[in-house]
């Protein structure tokens, strides 16, 4: 099989009875032919494909630039949205603080109102109690005066052993009550 490979590739060099295969061979015709082929391929590429490839590359570059611009725009919008969110959050906190302060003030006002109403109620109750005491005191005093007047009339009638007229009775009672009222 090795010999077939050597025969198919062409050159076999014989040196001192050994057979060598030449893999490196410099052939000027092959070099010229390769250069001409490369030049033709380059010219074909230049005339037929270069503009299309450059257009594709330009479009690709524009798409990449557009993507970068879109990403930058999205980043700016995200930062703006974040700033708006932060501002709204701060406003919400301030509004919450104001609501809490207003509720606290209303509660304090309500507390003061309830206390004032309770104090006013207590004062009314105290005033009513004092008035009731005064009325009871007057009633008791009037009852005592009535009893004293009866005792005075009885005592006077026994002392005088005579019947006292109503006019005399009134004069005696008024005099006695006037004296009792000054002492009490």
């Amino acid at each position: 099989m090795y010999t077939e490979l050597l025969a198919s590739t062409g050159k076999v060099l014989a040196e001192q009875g050994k057979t060598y295969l030449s893999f490196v061979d410099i052939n000027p015709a092959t070099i010229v032919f390769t250069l001409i082929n490369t030049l033709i391929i380059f010219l074909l590429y230049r005339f037929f494909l270069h503009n299309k490839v450059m257009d594709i590359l330009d479009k690709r570059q524009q798409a990449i630039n557009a993507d970068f611009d879109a990403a930058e725009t999205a980043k700016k919008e995200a930062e703006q949205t974040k700033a708006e969110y932060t501002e709204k959050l701060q406003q919400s906190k301030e509004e919450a603080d104001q609501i809490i302060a207003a509720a606290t003030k209303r509660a304090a006002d309500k507390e003061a109102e309830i206390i004032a109403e309770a104090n006013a109620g207590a004062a009314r109750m105290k005033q009513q109690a004092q008035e009731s005491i005064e009325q009871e005191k007057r009633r008791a005093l009037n009852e005592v005066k009535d009893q004293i007047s009866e005792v005075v009339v009885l005592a006077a009638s026994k002392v005088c052993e005579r019947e006292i007229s109503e006019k005399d009775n009134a004069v005696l009672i008024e005099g006695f009550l006037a004296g009792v009222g000054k002492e009490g």
Side-chain angles (χ1 to χ4, degrees):
M1 180 159 181
Y2 184 68
T3 54
E4 290 176 5
L5 178 63
L6 290 176
S8 66
T9 58
K11 298 185 177 179
V12 177
L13 298 175
E15 181 178 302
Q16 298 176 1
K18 296 184 180 177
T19 306
Y20 292 99
L21 177 63
S22 172
F23 288 108
V24 178
D25 186 19
I26 298 178
N27 187 346
T30 305
I31 293 174
V32 171
F33 181 72
T34 303
L35 287 175
I36 292 174
N37 280 338
T38 304
L39 182 62
I40 291 172
I41 290 173
F42 175 74
L43 292 175
L44 288 174
Y45 164 76
R46 185 76 178 149
F47 288 118
F48 294 112
L49 296 177
H50 181 71
N51 290 336
K52 291 179 183 178
V53 169
M54 291 310 290
D55 288 342
I56 291 171
L57 290 176
D58 287 342
K59 287 179 184 177
R60 178 72 176 152
Q61 186 63 41
Q62 290 172 358
I64 290 171
N65 289 341
D67 288 344
F68 279 134
D69 291 343
E72 187 67 28
T73 303
K75 181 179 177 183
K76 287 179 182 176
E77 288 176 359
E79 289 173 355
Q80 183 180 4
T81 303
K82 180 182 176 186
E84 290 173 0
Y85 170 76
T86 304
E87 182 179 336
K88 286 182 181 181
L89 183 64
Q90 183 64 29
Q91 288 174 352
S92 296
K93 286 181 181 178
E94 289 172 1
E95 288 176 10
D97 290 343
Q98 290 173 354
I99 289 170
I100 289 171
T104 304
K105 185 180 182 302
R106 281 194 308 266
D109 292 346
K110 187 67 174 177
E111 177 185 10
E113 181 182 329
I114 290 170
I115 290 172
E117 287 177 5
N119 287 340
R124 279 192 307 271
M125 291 173 70
K126 183 178 178 183
Q127 181 66 27
Q128 288 174 352
Q130 286 177 348
E131 288 173 3
S132 177
I133 290 170
E134 283 296 320
Q135 287 177 352
E136 286 295 318
K137 187 176 175 182
R138 276 188 239 123
R139 189 178 61 80
L141 186 59
N142 287 336
E143 284 179 11
V144 168
K145 284 180 183 180
D146 289 343
Q147 289 174 358
I148 290 174
S149 65
E150 287 176 13
V151 169
V152 167
V153 168
L154 282 173
S157 66
K158 294 233 180 196
V159 168
C160 295
E161 291 185 355
R162 63 182 181 109
E163 216 174 288
I164 299 177
S165 69
E166 217 175 286
K167 188 176 180 185
D168 292 334
N169 188 22
V171 170
L172 283 172
I173 291 173
E174 284 180 26
F176 180 75
L177 290 179
V180 171
K182 290 181 183 175
E183 292 174 7

